[in-house]
Amino acid sequence: MKLSSIIVEDEETSRKILKNYLKKYCPNVTVLGEAENVEEALVLIRNNDLDLVFLDVEMPYGNAFDLLDKVGDINFETVFVTAYNHYAIDALNAHASYYLMKPISIDELIKAVDYVTEIKTKEEALQNQVLVPKTNTVNGKITIPQQNGFEVINTADILYCKADDNYTEIFINTNKKKVVSKTLKYFEAILKDSGFARVHKSYVVNVNEVVKYMKGKGGSVLLSNGKEIMVSASKKSNLLSYFK
């Protein structure tokens, strides 16, 4: 998993050493920028989507904890890098992922990056879940994961779903398309009780949006937006059962 990061350190030599170590021993980490004080770090944090910040504690015109206070809503992991071990408790209280002592141990640096990678991998797996609300008050909705949370979609607004290898393209009646890292089989299962039918190995359609059926070996359906979708012979009876 790739990690986007910045280095916040007031000593140029220390920045260079850490950057070189990361390049050589932690190739999954991309350093997007460097800062030598709190204000420079704030600019980088606000202008980049970061996974990880390597953060020195003592800097001119403010320390690491001042920076974190100014950031407020923190959506990245923090690895403290310092020559002083008496900040360890404060770092834990600031929810630091790891605490590296200078001079930096390569083995400890690798451990820190591996630990953050594991955290981010688990977060991504959780975000990629497509959630079906369990309470009766939100029946008829599913959620689509996004980088900063999820989007709630009314199932009635979905026209059809199309398979794209291990992804599914969801077409909505507002002419929007959502791509989700779940198979079409997954969506077939969660939408089957909401008026959706599998009509082809590559398509699940909202039966309520079907305006016409054209005969054939399997035939085809015309949806309300003008999209025509082929129906496979093996799925024909399942589709037609909705109209008997």
Side-chain angles (χ1 to χ4, degrees):
M1 182 180 186
K2 296 294 184 181
L3 299 176
S4 298
S5 73
I6 62 170
I7 297 172
V8 183
E9 163 67 65
D10 65 311
E11 296 179 359
E12 183 179 1
T13 301
S14 296
R15 292 198 304 272
K16 287 182 177 179
I17 291 172
L18 177 54
K19 191 173 183 179
N20 289 335
Y21 280 176
L22 290 170
K23 183 177 180 180
K24 187 173 182 179
Y25 300 105
C26 306
N28 66 316
V29 177
T30 300
V31 178
L32 300 180
E34 302 172 30
E36 61 180 34
N37 56 54
V38 170
E39 294 307 317
E40 289 181 4
L42 274 175
V43 172
L44 287 175
I45 289 170
R46 288 168 178 167
N47 291 335
N48 292 281
D49 185 13
L50 300 174
D51 300 303
L52 172 59
V53 172
F54 293 94
L55 185 56
D56 186 19
V57 176
E58 294 192 348
M59 293 176 286
Y61 314 112
N63 60 29
F65 306 107
D66 296 326
L67 171 61
L68 295 177
D69 286 341
K70 290 184 177 182
V71 171
D73 187 14
I74 297 172
N75 58 3
F76 52 80
E77 300 302 316
T78 305
V79 171
F80 279 82
V81 185
T82 180
Y84 307 98
N85 59 15
H86 58 269
Y87 289 114
I89 298 299
D90 291 330
L92 288 173
N93 291 335
H95 305 290
S97 298
Y98 217 90
Y99 194 89
L100 292 175
M101 292 292 297
K102 296 178 183 178
I104 296 173
S105 159
I106 293 171
D107 288 341
E108 286 300 309
L109 176 62
I110 293 171
K111 286 180 183 178
V113 170
D114 285 347
Y115 183 67
V116 172
T117 301
E118 183 180 353
I119 291 173
K120 287 297 181 180
T121 299
K122 289 178 179 178
E123 285 181 0
E124 187 176 82
L126 181 62
Q127 289 174 354
N128 284 337
Q129 292 180 14
V130 177
L131 307 173
V132 181
K134 297 179 180 180
T135 63
N136 293 331
T137 58
V138 287
N139 277 344
K141 299 179 186 292
I142 62 171
T143 62
I144 302 300
Q146 296 181 330
Q147 188 171 15
N148 59 349
F150 57 82
E151 179 180 358
V152 180
I153 295 177
N154 292 318
T155 54
D157 292 335
I158 299 172
L159 293 171
Y160 64 96
C161 302
K162 180 183 177 183
D164 182 12
D165 292 328
N166 289 324
Y167 290 79
T168 297
E169 297 177 342
I170 301 174
F171 292 82
I172 302 171
N173 60 17
T174 53
N175 294 321
K176 292 182 180 179
K177 180 178 75 172
K178 309 289 183 180
V179 180
V180 183
S181 57
K182 290 289 183 180
T183 64
L184 187 64
K185 184 177 181 180
Y186 181 88
F187 281 99
E188 178 186 10
I190 68 170
L191 292 171
K192 66 180 180 179
D193 294 327
S194 299
F196 286 75
R198 183 79 173 259
V199 298
H200 188 276
K201 67 177 182 179
S202 298
Y203 290 95
V204 168
V205 303
N206 184 345
V207 178
N208 291 305
E209 297 295 332
V210 173
V211 297
K212 189 176 182 180
Y213 170 75
M214 285 76 79
K215 290 183 178 180
K217 184 177 180 180
S220 63
V221 291
L222 185 69
L223 301 183
S224 60
N225 68 336
K227 172 72 174 179
E228 183 177 356
I229 295 176
M230 298 302 296
V231 179
S232 64
S234 62
K235 304 294 185 183
K236 179 178 178 179
S237 60
N238 178 48
L239 171 68
L240 294 181
S241 68
Y242 284 86
F243 299 97
K244 291 181 180 178

